Amino acid sequence: MKKQNSIIKYLYIILIIALTGCSSEDGAVGPQGPQGVPGEDGSQGIQGEQGLQGPGGTDGMDGNANVIYSDWFFPDWNEFDAPRAKRMIVTDPEFGQNYDDGVILFYWITNNGSTFLVPWNSYSTITGALNISRSMNVRGISGDVWITIRRYDQDFEVRDTFGQFEGIIYNRLRYVIIPGNINVSGKSTLDYNDYEAVKAFYNLPD
């Protein structure tokens, strides 16, 4: 029995010495094992409560808030009315107030739907000569605008000067006043000859 205990004691001492003599630097690092199977996604958490609504933003400036415009109206040759020359006087106090720093535009629409910025002229399709001239003159601070039409080759026809005749609408006009104090991005590149562009830019109703 004592001999067996002595043998076990010696074996225990030898095992301790062997373990003490080993270190982590002994032997090469083994290859990395294969990647494990991905775990399952966890369940979605409970949705949080909706936050308070923030304050509303400030309304932007209306693009046509200060633009002045008229309805479409028929020409009224109230200054003189001759077979080859006619003039009407259109009055609005805003013409005088915006004479120096604003923009005053008169648009003329014909029976075929074409819209022109006054002044505009018509030429002969055969000779190229000037047939009809249409002009606009702002009378300074008086608040008047003169619209004058002249024909050079013959007397006026109905379609040249009439607003409405025998149920047919031939000519109408409207004016648009853009005060000089309106500072809108893109105004400097706006083509005033293009009525549709002006109407869209300033949100003008028909």
Side-chain angles (χ1 to χ4, degrees), residues 107 117 187-195 197-198:
Y107 290 99
L117 176 66
K187 187 177 84 170
S188 61
T189 60
L190 184 62
D191 182 5
Y192 292 134
N193 290 283
D194 187 344
Y195 172 72
V198 172

Side-chain angles (χ1 to χ4, degrees), residues 38 61 74 119 154:
M61 182 180 65
F74 294 135
Q154 63 182 38

Side-chain angles (χ1 to χ4, degrees), residues 29-45:
V29 178
Q32 182 175 354
Q35 183 176 354
V37 179
E40 296 181 359
D41 293 337
S43 59
Q44 184 175 356

Side-chain angles (χ1 to χ4, degrees), residues 98-163:
N98 293 279
Y99 174 69
D100 292 326
D101 57 355
V103 178
I104 301 173
L105 307 171
F106 264 79
Y107 290 99
W108 188 313
I109 185 170
T110 64
N111 66 320
N112 65 4
S114 299
T115 306
F116 301 91
L117 176 66
V118 181
W120 68 285
N121 301 322
S122 300
Y123 298 88
S124 170
T125 57
I126 299 175
T127 65
L130 175 63
N131 284 348
I132 304 175
S133 67
R134 303 166 184 83
S135 63
M136 180 192 80
N137 294 293
V138 182
R139 307 301 295 172
I141 62 174
S142 67
D144 295 340
V145 171
W146 290 1
I147 302 294
T148 307
I149 182 171
R150 300 181 186 277
R151 181 146 191 170
Y152 302 96
D153 59 335
Q154 63 182 38
D155 290 351
F156 287 119
E157 299 179 18
V158 169
R159 64 180 180 179
D160 296 331
T161 62
F162 273 73

Side-chain angles (χ1 to χ4, degrees), residues 30 181 186 205:
N181 59 1

Side-chain angles (χ1 to χ4, degrees), residues 59 67 80 163 165 197:
D59 292 338
V67 174
F80 57 81
F165 183 75

